[in-house]
Amino acid sequence: MRIYKVKDYAEMSRKAAAVMAAQIVAKPDCVLGLATGSTPIGLYKQLVEWYKSGDLDFSEVTTVNLDEYKGLPKENDQSYYYFMNDNLFSHVNVDKSRTFLPDGTQPDAEKACTEYDEIVRATGGADIQLLGLGHNGHIGFNEPSDVFKKNTHCVDLTESTIKANTRFFASEADVPRQAYTMGIGTIMSAKKILVVASGADKADAVYKSFFGPITPQVQGSVLQLHPDVVVVADEAALSKCDL
């Protein structure tokens, strides 16, 4: 695991975007594993800037996203499908027929999860998987648990995650209570993993994930077992780590 300590969110975004851009340049037909949430937005903006300046080409890229809320249609402005189009896909030359997310509109959880696992397998898996880190150490929507779940599954979101996501909705009552998410086995099968973290409110999760015991109660801790992890985090997020 390589940990890059940067000054602030802006530097984190540029540094992490450079790691992802290097993957695209090295392998133009790569599979990018993508994430949503507030932390990766700056990274996506930087990738868009480099595309517009002619430095990046997404035409052969395939993408697979970590998760999607269950029950939200694609046109809902809080769906992760909408988020990805708004922050990246609509601004670059990616072939949208090769951009994949779990189908949040599929009410049959088993069917939705099985189908998404088949899609990810068919792509060959992510060459690089981008991850944020939840306040409780979750990656994707893999919440604290007694086990590490291997495959895509339907999760009941914890109260802390619901509260953290309330800022994106009109009220807490509007936040979906379930989501479809890649399992830990799928995430860990990525050839390379890129983790971004910013802010003092993530300091506990960063410390427990990368310097604490490996436990499904802190799902991010499993990343300690992956052979190629790059963490880009700002000073505030790393404030509890002895680096």
Side-chain angles (χ1 to χ4, degrees):
M1 181 179 290
R2 286 168 290 161
I3 299 178
Y4 293 101
K5 185 177 184 178
V6 298
K7 182 179 180 181
D8 53 22
Y9 178 81
E11 190 178 350
M12 181 212 75
S13 298
R14 287 193 299 272
K15 178 72 173 178
V19 174
M20 187 157 282
Q23 174 65 72
I24 298 169
V25 171
K27 185 181 179 185
D29 61 345
C30 65
V31 178
L32 303 180
L34 301 180
T36 53
S38 55
T39 308
I41 289 175
L43 179 157
Y44 292 142
K45 286 182 178 178
Q46 183 64 72
L47 292 179
V48 170
E49 284 184 25
W50 286 333
Y51 163 73
K52 289 181 176 178
S53 66
D55 295 316
L56 280 180
D57 177 15
F58 290 81
S59 63
E60 296 180 62
V61 166
T62 298
T63 70
V64 290
N65 260 74
L66 284 169
D67 42 31
E68 177 61 282
Y69 286 120
K70 182 183 179 185
L72 287 191
K74 291 180 177 180
E75 60 270 20
N76 186 296
D77 64 4
Q78 295 305 321
S79 75
Y80 288 161
Y81 178 92
Y82 189 101
F83 175 99
M84 291 308 308
N85 277 279
D86 191 44
N87 286 284
L88 182 63
F89 297 157
S90 294
H91 306 289
V92 298
N93 64 333
V94 69
D95 180 349
K96 288 189 180 180
S97 70
R98 296 209 303 269
T99 61
F100 301 103
L101 296 89
D103 184 3
T105 63
Q106 171 56 259
D108 184 333
E110 185 176 351
K111 187 172 191 290
C113 295
T114 299
E115 288 179 348
Y116 195 58
D117 279 335
E118 290 173 355
I119 288 170
V120 174
R121 276 195 294 271
T123 69
D127 290 292
I128 185 168
Q129 175 64 60
L130 175 64
L131 298 175
L133 200 60
H135 291 99
N136 58 13
H138 74 241
I139 49 177
F141 270 129
N142 292 283
E143 299 281 13
S145 173
D146 293 329
V147 296
F148 292 114
K149 292 196 175 178
K150 181 179 179 182
N151 298 319
T152 302
H153 55 284
C154 182
V155 296
D156 296 321
L157 304 185
T158 64
E159 283 304 312
S160 65
T161 298
I162 291 168
K163 288 184 184 301
N165 290 342
T166 295
R167 67 188 187 278
F168 302 119
F169 291 83
S171 71
E172 185 176 315
D174 295 323
V175 183
R177 265 47 186 175
Q178 292 183 309
Y180 296 138
T181 185
M182 275 187 192
I184 295 299
T186 307
I187 292 170
M188 292 291 283
S189 69
K191 298 173 185 69
K192 185 185 194 76
I193 291 176
L194 170 63
V195 184
V196 289
S198 175
D201 59 326
K202 295 294 179 71
D204 276 334
V206 168
Y207 178 79
K208 290 177 181 177
S209 293
F210 306 134
F211 296 93
I214 298 169
T215 168
Q217 293 299 323
V218 181
Q219 295 274 314
S221 66
V222 75
L223 299 175
Q224 296 177 47
L225 300 175
H226 193 281
D228 190 1
V229 176
V230 174
V231 179
V232 184
D234 61 19
E235 293 174 353
L238 288 167
S239 60
K240 297 191 175 182
C241 304
D242 186 15
L243 295 174

